[in-house]
Amino acid sequence: MQERHDAPLAPLTTFRLGGPAARLVTATSDEEVIAAVREADDSGTPLLLIGGGSNLVIGDKGFDGTALVIATKGVTLHGTHLELAAGEVWTDAVARTVEAGLAGIECLAGIPGSAGATPIQNVGAYGQEVSSTITEVIAYDRRTGDTVTIANADCAFSYRHSRFKEDPARYVVLRVRFELEDADGLSAPIKYAETARALGVEPGDRVPLTAARETVLKLRAGKGMVLDPEDHDTWSAGSFFTNPILTDEEFTAFHARVKQHLGAGTEPPAYPAGDGHTKTSAAWLIDKAGFTKGYGTGPVRISTKHTLALTNRGEASTEDLLTLAREVVAGVHETFGITLVNEPVTVGVSL
């Protein structure tokens, strides 16, 4: 294991924000990960896990404890069975499955971060979620001190949620196993309307895997959602807020607010989200509340490409980020009565 003290954390995040860690450890094997976690737990030292850093907002004061970078490597592909070490770069893993002619995660191309983070958030985009292909998650259980294998059915997956997110201090993901589909080089059925339009097909159709992946990468790049060190629109955590899921009663009240503020002919985005629930669009809410693309005059602004991303323009602090995030949350709530929830994990700070 590599170890440093008073080590900068900002370069380890896609926001490029945050103060230093008292101690920074980099682990390159499951055994090193477990040893570092046990050491921290046995000594009562606060522990921060870092993968790709694409879902972290770290306070300007940094982290007074051990920050553990999970840099494990390992890709095993047997037939349609895929196993990834937690530290594997997710977008590289997606590319590898497409090259192998396997469907199931091709529309998750371009998502920054590590493989180990995908089950925690139940990562999803463009009509796919990892919960539909994950079979098992191998994790270290900090409560029992055992390495456990958790089946998909026991992961409590839902929209951007899982049992790992419910109890973030308990499990450390070590490996993730997937079951993909051999569809003779074709993608899984295209579910997302925007992707289908870009491909020139109907929802439910299959297309060549490479076409699906390349189309998603182009769509993401157009929204500043593919990392590019030269493009400050990508100095972000991607989508900063989750799409709200409303009960029927909440949606009725929201619908009335929409008509009040935007006119009787305006219909908000609405998608079925299970019995008695409707999902609406956080990006739409932000835009219609007056926070349009490029909003802001300071070092943190809304992306010029997508209203759902808050971006570091190069000289920002985490407090700058929180100031704009709070302004957006307050504005959306005042206009539509909905409280947005941040998707990134906050460390030492909160909205």
Side-chain angles (χ1 to χ4, degrees):
M1 284 188 289
Q2 296 179 355
E3 181 175 332
R4 297 166 60 196
H5 294 270
D6 195 26
L9 293 178
L12 301 178
T13 74
T14 53
F15 257 127
R16 307 184 187 204
L17 296 176
R23 178 172 176 254
L24 179 68
V25 174
T26 300
T28 58
S29 69
D30 292 352
E31 292 75 20
E32 288 183 354
V33 170
I34 293 170
V37 173
R38 282 179 172 163
E39 179 186 6
D41 290 347
D42 290 346
S43 62
T45 303
L47 181 67
L48 171 63
L49 303 177
I50 300 178
S54 60
N55 203 45
L56 276 180
V57 175
I58 299 172
D60 291 319
K61 292 183 179 180
F63 185 71
D64 188 16
T66 296
L68 173 59
V69 177
I70 298 178
T72 54
K73 297 297 178 185
V75 179
T76 304
L77 191 57
H78 291 305
T80 56
H81 305 289
L82 171 69
E83 181 176 298
L84 299 175
E88 282 290 334
V89 176
W90 174 252
T91 194
D92 292 347
V94 173
R96 193 160 180 167
T97 64
V98 169
E99 290 170 3
L102 299 176
I105 57 175
E106 62 279 359
C107 290
L108 303 179
I111 294 177
S114 61
T118 60
I120 298 171
Q121 283 286 105
N122 185 19
V123 164
Y126 295 98
Q128 290 183 343
E129 289 182 330
V130 292
S131 57
S132 65
T133 52
I134 287 176
T135 57
E136 295 175 328
V137 176
I138 295 86
Y140 174 68
D141 186 340
R142 296 169 69 182
R143 184 179 301 172
T144 66
D146 298 322
T147 298
V148 296
T149 299
I150 303 172
N152 179 294
D154 297 320
C155 290
F157 286 126
S158 60
Y159 172 66
R160 300 298 177 270
H161 199 73
S162 70
R163 72 180 293 178
F164 310 106
K165 195 171 181 180
E166 288 175 1
D167 193 356
R170 179 170 181 179
Y171 295 104
V172 179
V173 175
L174 301 174
R175 296 182 173 270
V176 188
R177 291 172 178 160
F178 302 80
E179 178 65 28
L180 303 176
E181 179 187 7
D182 186 349
D184 295 324
L186 296 179
S187 69
I190 300 297
K191 296 180 179 180
Y192 201 67
E194 183 183 15
T195 315
R197 285 194 301 271
L199 286 161
V201 300
E202 295 295 321
D205 288 349
R206 294 177 183 261
V207 299
L209 277 165
T210 53
R213 176 178 175 269
E214 290 168 4
T215 297
V216 165
L217 287 173
K218 288 178 182 177
L219 289 172
R220 290 186 64 87
K223 299 173 183 178
M225 299 291 186
V226 176
L227 293 179
D228 179 351
E230 302 302 317
D231 182 0
H232 283 280
D233 276 331
T234 73
W235 290 30
S236 75
S239 299
F240 195 85
F241 300 102
T242 57
N243 290 322
I245 296 178
L246 310 176
T247 64
D248 288 343
E249 183 179 355
E250 290 169 338
F251 188 81
T252 298
F254 164 55
H255 197 258
R257 291 254 200 152
V258 169
K259 294 190 178 303
Q260 175 188 347
H261 286 278
L262 302 176
T266 305
E267 291 295 330
Y271 311 97
D275 186 37
H277 290 81
T278 301
K279 181 167 68 175
T280 192
S281 165
W284 187 91
L285 292 169
I286 293 166
D287 181 73
K288 298 304 181 185
F291 303 100
T292 53
K293 294 175 184 176
Y295 178 89
T297 57
V300 173
R301 303 176 198 172
I302 290 178
S303 167
T304 66
K305 301 180 179 72
H306 200 287
T307 56
L308 205 48
L310 307 186
T311 64
N312 174 6
R313 309 316 293 185
E315 299 293 334
S317 67
T318 301
E319 192 55 38
D320 294 326
L321 170 68
L322 297 175
T323 297
L324 179 57
R326 290 166 184 150
E327 182 184 359
V328 171
V329 170
V332 168
H333 186 268
E334 180 180 356
T335 306
F336 296 116
I338 292 175
T339 301
L340 293 176
V341 176
N342 52 290
E343 185 169 332
V345 175
T346 55
V347 178
V349 293
S350 65
L351 290 189

